[in-house]
Coordinates of all heavy atoms in Angstrom, one line a residue:
C4 N 64.2 -4.7 28.1 CA 65.5 -4.1 28.4 C 66.1 -4.8 29.6 O 67.3 -4.8 29.7 CB 65.3 -2.6 28.7 SG 64.9 -1.6 27.2
T5 N 65.2 -5.5 30.5 CA 65.8 -6.1 31.6 C 66.5 -7.3 31.3 O 67.5 -7.6 31.8 CB 64.6 -6.3 32.6 OG1 63.8 -5.1 33.0 CG2 65.1 -7.0 33.8
A6 N 66.0 -8.0 30.2 CA 66.6 -9.2 29.8 C 67.9 -8.9 29.1 O 68.9 -9.7 29.4 CB 65.6 -10.0 28.8
F7 N 68.1 -7.7 28.5 CA 69.3 -7.2 27.8 C 70.3 -7.1 28.9 O 71.4 -7.5 28.9 CB 68.9 -6.1 26.9 CG 70.1 -5.6 26.4 CD1 70.8 -6.1 25.3 CD2 70.9 -4.4 26.9 CE1 71.9 -5.5 24.7 CE2 71.9 -3.8 26.4 CZ 72.5 -4.4 25.1
A8 N 69.8 -6.3 29.9 CA 70.9 -6.0 31.0 C 71.4 -7.3 31.8 O 72.4 -7.4 32.1 CB 70.2 -4.8 31.9
L9 N 70.3 -8.1 32.2 CA 70.6 -9.4 32.8 C 71.6 -10.2 32.0 O 72.6 -10.7 32.6 CB 69.4 -10.1 33.2 CG 68.5 -9.5 34.3 CD1 67.3 -10.4 34.4 CD2 69.3 -9.7 35.7
S10 N 71.4 -10.4 30.7 CA 72.2 -11.3 30.0 C 73.6 -10.6 29.9 O 74.6 -11.4 29.9 CB 71.7 -11.5 28.6 OG 71.5 -10.5 27.8
R11 N 73.6 -9.4 29.8 CA 75.0 -8.7 29.7 C 75.9 -8.8 31.0 O 76.9 -9.0 30.9 CB 74.9 -7.2 29.4 CG 76.1 -6.5 29.2 CD 76.0 -5.4 28.2 NE 76.0 -5.8 26.8 CZ 76.1 -5.0 25.8 NH1 76.2 -3.8 26.0 NH2 76.0 -5.5 24.6
L12 N 75.1 -8.7 32.1 CA 75.7 -8.7 33.5 C 75.9 -10.1 33.9 O 77.0 -10.3 34.5 CB 75.0 -7.9 34.5 CG 74.8 -6.3 34.1 CD1 73.8 -5.7 35.1 CD2 76.1 -5.7 34.2
L13 N 75.0 -11.0 33.7 CA 75.2 -12.2 34.4 C 75.4 -13.4 33.4 O 76.3 -14.3 33.7 CB 73.9 -12.6 35.1 CG 73.5 -11.6 36.3 CD1 72.1 -11.9 36.8 CD2 74.5 -11.5 37.4
L14 N 74.8 -13.4 32.3 CA 74.9 -14.6 31.4 C 76.1 -14.6 30.6 O 76.8 -15.6 30.5 CB 73.7 -14.7 30.5 CG 73.3 -15.9 29.8 CD1 73.1 -17.1 30.8 CD2 72.1 -15.8 29.1
A15 N 76.6 -13.5 30.1 CA 77.8 -13.4 29.2 C 79.0 -13.9 30.0 O 79.8 -14.7 29.5 CB 77.9 -12.1 28.7
P16 N 79.3 -13.4 31.4 CA 80.4 -13.9 32.0 C 80.3 -15.4 32.3 O 81.4 -16.1 32.2 CB 80.5 -13.1 33.3 CG 79.7 -11.8 33.0 CD 78.6 -12.3 32.0
L17 N 79.2 -15.8 32.6 CA 79.0 -17.3 32.9 C 79.2 -18.1 31.7 O 80.0 -19.1 31.9 CB 77.5 -17.6 33.4 CG 77.3 -19.0 33.8 CD1 77.9 -19.3 35.0 CD2 75.7 -19.1 34.0
L18 N 78.9 -17.8 30.6 CA 79.1 -18.5 29.3 C 80.5 -18.5 28.9 O 81.1 -19.4 28.5 CB 78.1 -18.0 28.3 CG 76.6 -18.4 28.4 CD1 75.8 -17.8 27.3 CD2 76.5 -19.8 28.4
S19 N 81.2 -17.4 29.1 CA 82.6 -17.3 28.7 C 83.4 -18.2 29.5 O 84.5 -18.5 29.2 CB 83.0 -15.8 28.7 OG 83.1 -15.4 30.1
R20 N 83.0 -18.6 30.7 CA 83.8 -19.4 31.7 C 83.5 -20.9 31.6 O 84.2 -21.7 32.1 CB 83.7 -18.8 33.1 CG 84.5 -17.7 33.5 CD 84.3 -17.4 34.9 NE 83.9 -16.1 35.1 CZ 83.0 -15.5 35.9 NH1 82.7 -16.3 36.9 NH2 82.5 -14.3 35.9
S21 N 82.3 -21.2 31.1 CA 81.9 -22.6 31.0 C 82.7 -23.4 30.0 O 83.1 -22.9 29.0 CB 80.4 -22.6 30.6 OG 80.2 -22.2 29.4
P22 N 83.0 -24.7 30.5 CA 83.8 -25.5 29.5 C 83.0 -25.8 28.2 O 81.7 -25.8 28.4 CB 84.0 -26.7 30.4 CG 83.0 -26.8 31.4 CD 82.6 -25.3 31.7
A23 N 83.6 -26.2 27.2 CA 82.9 -26.5 26.0 C 82.5 -28.0 26.1 O 83.1 -28.8 25.6 CB 83.7 -26.3 24.8
T24 N 81.2 -28.2 26.7 CA 80.8 -29.6 26.9 C 79.8 -30.0 25.7 O 79.5 -31.1 25.5 CB 79.9 -29.7 28.1 OG1 79.0 -28.7 28.2 CG2 81.0 -29.5 29.3
A25 N 79.5 -29.0 24.8 CA 78.5 -29.3 23.7 C 79.4 -30.0 22.6 O 80.6 -30.2 22.6 CB 78.0 -28.0 23.2
A26 N 78.6 -30.7 21.7 CA 79.3 -31.3 20.6 C 80.1 -30.4 19.8 O 79.8 -29.2 19.7 CB 78.2 -31.9 19.7
G27 N 81.4 -30.9 19.5 CA 82.5 -30.0 18.9 C 82.0 -29.2 17.7 O 82.1 -28.1 17.6
S28 N 81.3 -30.0 16.8 CA 80.9 -29.4 15.5 C 79.8 -28.3 15.7 O 79.8 -27.5 15.0 CB 80.6 -30.4 14.4 OG 79.4 -31.2 14.8
L29 N 78.9 -28.6 16.5 CA 77.7 -27.8 16.6 C 78.4 -26.6 17.4 O 77.9 -25.4 17.0 CB 76.7 -28.5 17.7 CG 75.5 -27.7 17.9 CD1 74.8 -27.3 16.7 CD2 74.6 -28.5 19.0
R30 N 79.1 -26.7 18.3 CA 79.8 -25.6 19.0 C 80.5 -24.6 18.0 O 80.4 -23.4 18.1 CB 80.7 -26.1 20.1 CG 81.5 -25.1 20.9 CD 80.6 -24.4 21.9 NE 81.3 -23.5 22.7 CZ 80.9 -23.0 23.8 NH1 79.9 -23.3 24.3 NH2 81.7 -22.1 24.4
R31 N 81.3 -25.3 17.1 CA 82.1 -24.5 16.1 C 81.1 -23.7 15.2 O 81.4 -22.6 15.0 CB 82.9 -25.4 15.4 CG 84.3 -25.7 16.1 CD 85.3 -26.5 15.2 NE 84.9 -27.7 14.7 CZ 84.9 -28.9 15.4 NH1 85.3 -28.9 16.6 NH2 84.3 -30.0 14.8
R32 N 80.0 -24.5 14.8 CA 79.0 -23.6 14.0 C 78.5 -22.5 14.7 O 78.2 -21.5 14.1 CB 78.0 -24.7 13.4 CG 78.5 -25.4 12.2 CD 77.4 -26.3 11.7 NE 77.5 -27.5 12.3 CZ 76.6 -28.4 12.5 NH1 75.4 -28.2 12.0 NH2 76.8 -29.7 13.0
A33 N 78.0 -22.8 15.9 CA 77.4 -21.6 16.7 C 78.3 -20.6 16.9 O 78.0 -19.4 16.8 CB 76.9 -22.2 18.0
D34 N 79.6 -20.8 17.1 CA 80.6 -19.8 17.3 C 80.8 -19.0 15.9 O 81.0 -17.8 16.1 CB 81.9 -20.3 17.8 CG 82.0 -20.8 19.3 OD1 81.1 -20.4 20.0 OD2 82.9 -21.6 19.7
A35 N 80.9 -19.7 14.9 CA 81.0 -19.1 13.6 C 79.9 -18.1 13.2 O 80.2 -17.0 12.9 CB 81.2 -20.1 12.5
M36 N 78.8 -18.6 13.6 CA 77.4 -17.9 13.4 C 77.5 -16.6 14.4 O 77.2 -15.4 13.8 CB 76.3 -18.7 13.6 CG 74.9 -18.0 13.2 SD 73.5 -19.0 12.9 CE 73.4 -19.8 14.6
L37 N 77.8 -16.7 15.5 CA 77.9 -15.6 16.4 C 78.9 -14.6 16.0 O 78.7 -13.4 16.3 CB 78.1 -16.0 17.9 CG 76.9 -16.7 18.6 CD1 77.3 -17.3 19.9 CD2 75.7 -15.8 18.8
T38 N 80.1 -15.1 15.6 CA 81.1 -14.1 15.1 C 80.6 -13.3 14.0 O 80.9 -12.1 13.9 CB 82.4 -15.1 14.6 OG1 82.8 -15.8 15.7 CG2 83.6 -14.2 14.1
Q39 N 80.0 -14.0 13.0 CA 79.4 -13.2 11.8 C 78.4 -12.3 12.3 O 78.4 -11.0 11.9 CB 78.7 -14.2 10.8 CG 79.7 -15.0 10.0 CD 79.0 -16.1 9.1 OE1 77.8 -16.2 9.4 NE2 79.7 -16.6 8.2
L40 N 77.6 -12.6 13.3 CA 76.5 -11.5 13.7 C 77.2 -10.5 14.4 O 76.8 -9.4 14.3 CB 75.6 -12.3 14.7 CG 74.3 -11.6 15.0 CD1 73.5 -11.1 13.9 CD2 73.4 -12.4 15.9
G41 N 78.2 -10.9 15.3 CA 78.9 -9.8 15.9 C 79.6 -8.8 15.1 O 79.6 -7.6 15.3
G42 N 80.2 -9.3 13.8 CA 80.7 -8.5 12.8 C 79.7 -7.5 12.3 O 79.9 -6.5 12.0
A43 N 78.5 -8.1 11.9 CA 77.3 -7.4 11.4 C 77.0 -6.1 12.4 O 76.7 -5.0 12.0 CB 76.2 -8.1 11.0
V44 N 77.0 -6.5 13.7 CA 76.6 -5.6 14.8 C 77.7 -4.5 14.8 O 77.4 -3.3 15.0 CB 76.3 -6.2 16.1 CG1 76.4 -5.2 17.3 CG2 75.1 -7.0 16.1
R45 N 78.9 -4.8 14.7 CA 80.1 -3.8 14.7 C 80.1 -3.0 13.6 O 80.2 -1.8 13.6 CB 81.3 -4.6 14.8 CG 82.1 -4.5 16.0 CD 83.5 -5.0 15.9 NE 83.7 -6.2 15.2 CZ 83.6 -7.5 15.4 NH1 83.0 -7.8 16.5 NH2 83.6 -8.3 14.5
D46 N 79.8 -3.5 12.2 CA 79.9 -2.8 11.0 C 78.6 -1.8 10.9 O 78.7 -0.7 10.5 CB 80.0 -3.7 9.8 CG 81.3 -4.5 9.9 OD1 82.2 -4.1 10.7 OD2 81.3 -5.6 9.1
R47 N 77.5 -2.5 11.1 CA 76.2 -1.6 10.9 C 75.3 -1.9 12.1 O 74.3 -2.6 12.0 CB 75.4 -2.3 9.7 CG 76.3 -1.9 8.3 CD 75.6 -2.6 7.1 NE 75.5 -3.9 7.2 CZ 76.5 -4.8 6.9 NH1 77.6 -4.5 6.6 NH2 76.1 -6.2 7.0
P48 N 75.5 -1.3 13.2 CA 74.8 -1.7 14.4 C 73.2 -1.2 14.4 O 72.4 -2.1 14.7 CB 75.4 -0.8 15.5 CG 76.3 0.2 14.8 CD 76.6 -0.3 13.4
F49 N 73.0 -0.1 13.8 CA 71.5 0.3 13.8 C 70.8 -0.6 12.9 O 69.6 -1.0 13.3 CB 71.6 1.9 13.3 CG 72.0 2.7 14.4 CD1 73.2 3.3 14.5 CD2 71.1 3.1 15.5 CE1 73.6 4.2 15.3 CE2 71.5 4.1 16.5 CZ 72.9 4.5 16.4
R50 N 71.2 -0.9 11.6 CA 70.5 -1.7 10.7 C 70.4 -3.0 11.3 O 69.3 -3.7 11.2 CB 71.3 -1.7 9.4 CG 70.7 -2.5 8.4 CD 71.5 -2.5 7.1 NE 71.0 -3.4 6.0 CZ 71.6 -3.7 5.1 NH1 72.8 -3.0 4.7 NH2 71.1 -4.6 4.1
T51 N 71.5 -3.7 11.8 CA 71.4 -5.0 12.2 C 70.5 -5.2 13.4 O 69.6 -6.1 13.5 CB 72.8 -5.5 12.6 OG1 73.8 -5.3 11.5 CG2 72.8 -7.0 13.0
V52 N 70.5 -4.3 14.4 CA 69.7 -4.4 15.5 C 68.3 -4.2 15.2 O 67.3 -4.8 15.8 CB 70.2 -3.6 16.7 CG1 69.2 -3.5 17.8 CG2 71.6 -3.9 17.2
F53 N 68.0 -3.2 14.3 CA 66.6 -2.9 13.9 C 66.1 -4.2 13.3 O 64.9 -4.6 13.6 CB 66.6 -1.7 12.9 CG 65.1 -1.4 12.4 CD1 64.4 -0.6 13.1 CD2 64.6 -2.0 11.2 CE1 63.2 -0.3 12.7 CE2 63.4 -1.7 10.9 CZ 62.7 -0.9 11.6
L54 N 66.8 -4.9 12.3 CA 66.3 -6.1 11.6 C 66.0 -7.2 12.7 O 65.1 -7.9 12.6 CB 67.1 -6.4 10.6 CG 67.2 -5.5 9.3 CD1 68.3 -5.9 8.4 CD2 65.9 -5.5 8.6
L55 N 66.9 -7.4 13.7 CA 66.8 -8.5 14.6 C 65.7 -8.1 15.6 O 64.8 -9.0 16.0 CB 68.0 -8.5 15.4 CG 69.3 -9.2 14.8 CD1 70.6 -9.0 15.6 CD2 69.0 -10.7 14.5
R56 N 65.4 -6.9 15.9 CA 64.4 -6.5 16.8 C 63.0 -6.7 16.0 O 62.0 -7.0 16.6 CB 64.4 -5.1 17.3 CG 65.5 -4.7 18.2 CD 65.5 -5.3 19.4 NE 64.3 -5.0 20.1 CZ 63.8 -5.4 21.2 NH1 64.4 -6.5 21.8 NH2 62.7 -5.1 21.8
A57 N 62.9 -6.5 14.8 CA 61.8 -6.7 13.9 C 61.4 -8.1 13.5 O 60.3 -8.4 13.0 CB 61.8 -5.9 12.7
A58 N 62.4 -9.1 13.8 CA 62.3 -10.4 13.4 C 61.2 -11.0 14.2 O 61.0 -10.8 15.4 CB 63.7 -11.2 13.7
P59 N 60.5 -12.0 13.6 CA 59.2 -12.7 14.4 C 59.8 -13.8 15.3 O 59.6 -15.0 14.9 CB 58.4 -13.2 13.2 CG 59.4 -13.4 12.1 CD 60.5 -12.4 12.2
L60 N 60.6 -13.4 16.3 CA 61.1 -14.3 17.3 C 60.7 -13.9 18.6 O 60.3 -12.7 18.8 CB 62.6 -14.3 17.2 CG 63.2 -14.8 15.9 CD1 64.7 -14.4 16.0 CD2 63.1 -16.3 15.7
P61 N 60.6 -14.8 19.6 CA 60.2 -14.3 21.0 C 61.1 -13.2 21.5 O 62.3 -13.1 21.3 CB 60.4 -15.6 21.7 CG 60.3 -16.6 20.8 CD 60.9 -16.2 19.6
I62 N 60.4 -12.2 22.1 CA 61.1 -11.0 22.7 C 62.2 -11.5 23.6 O 63.5 -10.8 23.5 CB 60.1 -10.2 23.4 CG1 59.3 -9.4 22.4 CG2 60.8 -9.1 24.2 CD1 59.9 -8.4 21.7
A63 N 62.0 -12.4 24.4 CA 63.0 -12.8 25.5 C 64.3 -13.3 24.8 O 65.4 -13.1 25.0 CB 62.6 -13.8 26.4
L64 N 64.1 -14.2 23.6 CA 65.2 -14.7 22.9 C 66.1 -13.6 22.3 O 67.3 -13.5 22.3 CB 64.7 -15.6 21.9 CG 65.7 -16.3 20.9 CD1 66.6 -17.2 21.8 CD2 65.0 -17.0 19.8
K65 N 65.3 -12.6 21.7 CA 66.1 -11.5 21.1 C 66.8 -10.6 22.1 O 67.9 -10.3 21.9 CB 65.1 -10.5 20.3 CG 64.4 -11.2 19.1 CD 63.7 -10.4 18.3 CE 62.3 -10.3 18.8 NZ 61.4 -9.5 17.9
N66 N 66.2 -10.3 23.2 CA 66.8 -9.5 24.3 C 67.9 -10.2 25.0 O 69.0 -9.5 25.0 CB 65.8 -9.1 25.4 CG 64.8 -8.2 25.0 OD1 64.9 -7.4 24.0 ND2 63.6 -8.1 25.6
Y67 N 67.9 -11.4 25.3 CA 69.0 -12.2 25.8 C 70.1 -12.4 24.8 O 71.3 -12.2 25.1 CB 68.6 -13.5 26.5 CG 67.9 -13.5 27.6 CD1 66.5 -13.8 27.9 CD2 68.6 -12.9 28.8 CE1 65.9 -13.8 29.2 CE2 67.9 -13.0 30.1 CZ 66.5 -13.2 30.2 OH 65.8 -13.2 31.4
G68 N 69.7 -12.6 23.6 CA 70.8 -12.9 22.6 C 71.5 -11.5 22.3 O 72.7 -11.7 22.2
L69 N 70.8 -10.4 22.1 CA 71.5 -9.1 21.9 C 72.3 -8.7 23.1 O 73.3 -8.1 23.0 CB 70.5 -8.0 21.6 CG 69.9 -8.2 20.2 CD1 68.7 -7.3 19.9 CD2 70.9 -8.1 19.0
G70 N 71.9 -9.1 24.3 CA 72.6 -8.9 25.5 C 74.1 -9.6 25.5 O 74.9 -9.1 26.2
L71 N 74.1 -10.6 24.8 CA 75.4 -11.3 24.7 C 76.3 -10.8 23.7 O 77.5 -11.2 23.6 CB 75.2 -12.8 24.4 CG 74.3 -13.6 25.5 CD1 74.0 -15.0 25.1 CD2 75.2 -13.7 26.7
M72 N 76.0 -9.8 23.0 CA 76.8 -9.2 22.0 C 77.7 -8.1 22.6 O 77.2 -7.0 22.9 CB 76.0 -8.6 20.8 CG 75.3 -9.5 19.9 SD 76.5 -10.3 19.0 CE 75.4 -11.7 18.4
P73 N 78.9 -8.3 22.9 CA 79.7 -7.3 23.6 C 80.0 -6.1 22.8 O 80.2 -5.0 23.3 CB 81.0 -8.0 23.9 CG 81.2 -9.1 23.0 CD 79.7 -9.5 22.7
S74 N 79.9 -6.2 21.4 CA 80.2 -5.0 20.5 C 78.9 -4.2 20.3 O 79.0 -3.0 19.7 CB 80.7 -5.5 19.3 OG 79.6 -6.3 18.5
L75 N 77.8 -4.4 20.9 CA 76.5 -3.7 20.8 C 76.4 -2.8 21.9 O 76.3 -3.0 23.2 CB 75.3 -4.7 20.8 CG 73.9 -4.0 20.8 CD1 73.7 -3.2 19.6 CD2 72.9 -5.0 21.0
P76 N 76.5 -1.5 21.6 CA 76.2 -0.4 22.6 C 74.7 -0.5 23.1 O 74.0 -0.5 22.4 CB 76.6 1.0 21.8 CG 77.3 0.5 20.7 CD 76.8 -0.8 20.3
S77 N 74.7 -0.1 24.4 CA 73.4 -0.2 25.1 C 72.4 1.0 24.4 O 71.3 0.7 24.3 CB 73.5 0.1 26.5 OG 74.2 -0.9 27.1
L78 N 73.0 2.0 24.0 CA 72.1 3.1 23.4 C 71.6 2.7 22.1 O 70.4 2.9 21.8 CB 73.0 4.4 23.2 CG 72.3 5.6 22.6 CD1 71.2 6.0 23.5 CD2 73.3 6.7 22.3
V79 N 72.3 2.0 21.3 CA 71.8 1.4 20.0 C 70.6 0.5 20.3 O 69.6 0.6 19.6 CB 72.8 0.7 19.1 CG1 72.4 0.1 18.0 CG2 73.9 1.7 18.7
F80 N 70.9 -0.4 21.3 CA 69.7 -1.3 21.6 C 68.5 -0.6 22.1 O 67.4 -1.0 21.5 CB 70.2 -2.2 22.7 CG 69.2 -3.2 23.3 CD1 68.9 -4.3 22.6 CD2 68.4 -2.8 24.5 CE1 67.8 -5.1 23.0 CE2 67.5 -3.7 24.9 CZ 67.1 -4.9 24.3
V81 N 68.6 0.4 23.0 CA 67.5 1.2 23.3 C 66.8 2.0 22.3 O 65.5 1.9 22.1 CB 67.8 2.2 24.6 CG1 66.7 3.0 25.0 CG2 68.3 1.4 25.8
L82 N 67.6 2.6 21.6 CA 66.9 3.4 20.4 C 66.3 2.4 19.3 O 65.1 2.8 18.9 CB 68.1 4.2 19.6 CG 68.7 5.4 20.3 CD1 69.9 6.0 19.5 CD2 67.6 6.4 20.7
M83 N 66.9 1.4 19.0 CA 66.3 0.5 17.9 C 65.0 -0.3 18.6 O 64.0 -0.6 18.0 CB 67.2 -0.6 17.5 CG 68.3 0.1 16.6 SD 67.5 1.0 15.2 CE 67.7 2.6 15.8
T84 N 64.9 -0.4 19.9 CA 63.7 -1.1 20.6 C 62.6 -0.1 20.5 O 61.6 -0.5 20.2 CB 64.1 -1.3 22.1 OG1 65.2 -2.3 22.2 CG2 62.9 -1.8 22.9
F85 N 62.9 1.2 20.6 CA 61.9 2.3 20.4 C 61.4 2.3 19.1 O 60.3 2.5 18.8 CB 62.3 3.6 21.1 CG 62.2 3.8 22.5 CD1 63.3 4.0 23.3 CD2 61.0 3.6 23.1 CE1 63.2 4.0 24.6 CE2 60.8 3.8 24.5 CZ 61.9 3.9 25.2
A86 N 62.5 2.4 18.1 CA 62.1 2.5 16.7 C 61.2 1.3 16.2 O 60.3 1.6 15.3 CB 63.4 2.6 15.9
V87 N 61.4 0.1 16.7 CA 60.5 -1.0 16.3 C 59.3 -1.2 17.1 O 58.2 -1.3 16.5 CB 61.3 -2.3 16.6 CG1 60.5 -3.6 16.2 CG2 62.6 -2.3 15.6
N88 N 59.3 -0.9 18.3 CA 58.1 -1.0 19.1 C 57.1 0.0 19.1 O 55.9 -0.2 19.3 CB 58.5 -1.2 20.6 CG 59.2 -2.7 20.7 OD1 59.1 -3.4 20.0 ND2 59.9 -2.8 22.0
V89 N 57.5 1.3 18.9 CA 56.5 2.4 18.9 C 55.5 2.3 17.7 O 54.3 2.4 18.0 CB 57.2 3.8 19.0 CG1 56.3 5.0 18.6 CG2 57.9 4.0 20.2
P90 N 56.0 2.0 16.5 CA 55.0 1.9 15.4 C 53.9 0.6 15.7 O 52.9 0.8 15.4 CB 55.8 1.6 14.1 CG 57.1 2.2 14.4 CD 57.2 2.0 16.0
F91 N 54.5 -0.4 16.2 CA 53.5 -1.6 16.4 C 52.6 -1.2 17.6 O 51.5 -1.6 17.5 CB 54.3 -2.8 16.8 CG 55.0 -3.5 15.7 CD1 56.3 -3.5 15.5 CD2 54.3 -4.0 14.7 CE1 56.9 -4.1 14.4 CE2 54.8 -4.6 13.7 CZ 56.1 -4.7 13.4
S92 N 53.1 -0.5 18.7 CA 52.3 -0.1 19.8 C 51.2 0.8 19.4 O 50.0 0.7 19.6 CB 53.0 0.7 20.9 OG 54.0 -0.2 21.3
V93 N 51.6 1.8 18.4 CA 50.5 2.8 17.9 C 49.5 2.0 17.0 O 48.2 2.2 17.2 CB 51.2 3.8 17.1 CG1 50.1 4.7 16.3 CG2 52.0 4.8 17.9
A94 N 49.9 1.1 16.2 CA 49.2 0.3 15.4 C 48.0 -0.5 16.2 O 46.9 -0.5 15.9 CB 49.8 -0.7 14.5
W95 N 48.5 -1.2 17.2 CA 47.5 -2.0 18.1 C 46.6 -1.1 19.0 O 45.6 -1.4 19.1 CB 48.4 -2.9 19.0 CG 49.1 -4.0 18.4 CD1 50.4 -4.3 18.2 CD2 48.2 -5.1 17.6 NE1 50.5 -5.5 17.4 CE2 49.2 -6.0 17.1 CE3 46.9 -5.4 17.4 CZ2 48.9 -7.1 16.4 CZ3 46.6 -6.6 16.8 CH2 47.5 -7.5 16.2
A96 N 47.2 0.1 19.3 CA 46.1 1.0 20.1 C 45.2 1.5 19.1 O 44.0 1.6 19.6 CB 47.0 2.1 20.7
L97 N 45.4 1.8 18.0 CA 44.4 2.4 17.1 C 43.6 1.3 16.6 O 42.3 1.5 16.5 CB 45.2 2.9 15.7 CG 45.9 4.1 15.9 CD1 46.7 4.5 14.6 CD2 45.0 5.4 16.3
T98 N 43.9 0.0 16.4 CA 43.1 -1.1 16.1 C 42.2 -1.4 17.3 O 40.9 -1.5 17.1 CB 44.0 -2.3 15.9 OG1 44.8 -2.1 14.8 CG2 43.1 -3.5 15.5
G99 N 42.6 -1.4 18.4 CA 41.7 -1.5 19.7 C 40.8 -0.4 19.9 O 39.7 -0.7 20.3
S100 N 41.3 0.8 19.7 CA 40.3 2.0 19.9 C 39.0 2.0 18.8 O 38.1 2.6 19.0 CB 41.0 3.1 19.9 OG 41.5 3.6 18.5
S101 N 39.4 1.5 17.6 CA 38.4 1.4 16.6 C 37.4 0.1 16.7 O 36.4 0.2 15.9 CB 38.9 1.5 15.2 OG 39.7 0.2 14.9
A102 N 37.7 -0.8 17.5 CA 36.9 -2.0 17.7 C 35.6 -1.6 18.5 O 35.7 -0.8 19.5 CB 37.7 -3.1 18.3
S103 N 34.6 -2.2 18.0 CA 33.3 -1.9 18.8 C 33.0 -3.0 19.8 O 33.5 -4.2 19.6 CB 32.2 -1.9 17.8 OG 32.0 -3.1 17.1
S104 N 32.5 -2.7 21.0 CA 32.4 -3.7 22.0 C 31.0 -4.4 21.9 O 30.1 -4.1 21.4 CB 32.6 -3.2 23.3 OG 32.4 -1.9 23.5

């Protein structure tokens, strides 16, 4: 949640002001992809965020990336974080408790 908040407060304004120094076609493709993802977050926020949170990607990448989505309400982010992480936490806790030393 810290990475989400940091990217929303610090990274998003910085990126919106930076000049487009990246290669033009790569930048346009990235913008198009982010626009599509932003539309999915707007149309189906719970489903989209749940699937993104469950994706096998590094946590920091997901948190910072979702923090850059201005259409994503913080409450949806927090609820879907719990919905994805609680089952995995319970599963790992049960696996660890049943292991013999």
Side-chain angles (χ1 to χ4, degrees):
C4 287
T5 304
F7 176 79
L9 283 175
S10 66
R11 182 151 287 184
L12 294 173
L13 302 175
L14 197 56
L17 180 68
L18 289 177
S19 67
R20 285 186 236 147
S21 67
T24 57
S28 64
L29 180 62
R30 176 78 177 198
R31 282 189 296 277
R32 279 187 267 156
D34 286 344
M36 194 166 51
L37 286 174
T38 301
Q39 289 176 344
L40 187 57
V44 168
R45 250 188 328 277
D46 297 340
R47 295 176 300 279
F49 288 98
R50 178 181 174 187
T51 304
V52 174
F53 181 86
L54 292 173
L55 287 171
R56 296 290 301 166
L60 298 169
I62 287 286
L64 179 66
K65 293 186 279 191
N66 289 342
Y67 283 114
L69 288 170
L71 294 174
M72 296 286 168
S74 61
L75 175 62
S77 298
L78 181 61
V79 172
F80 176 80
V81 170
L82 290 175
M83 292 302 99
T84 297
F85 281 115
V87 170
N88 290 342
V89 167
F91 285 112
S92 297
V93 170
W95 284 117
L97 290 174
T98 302
S100 69
S101 66
S103 61
S104 26

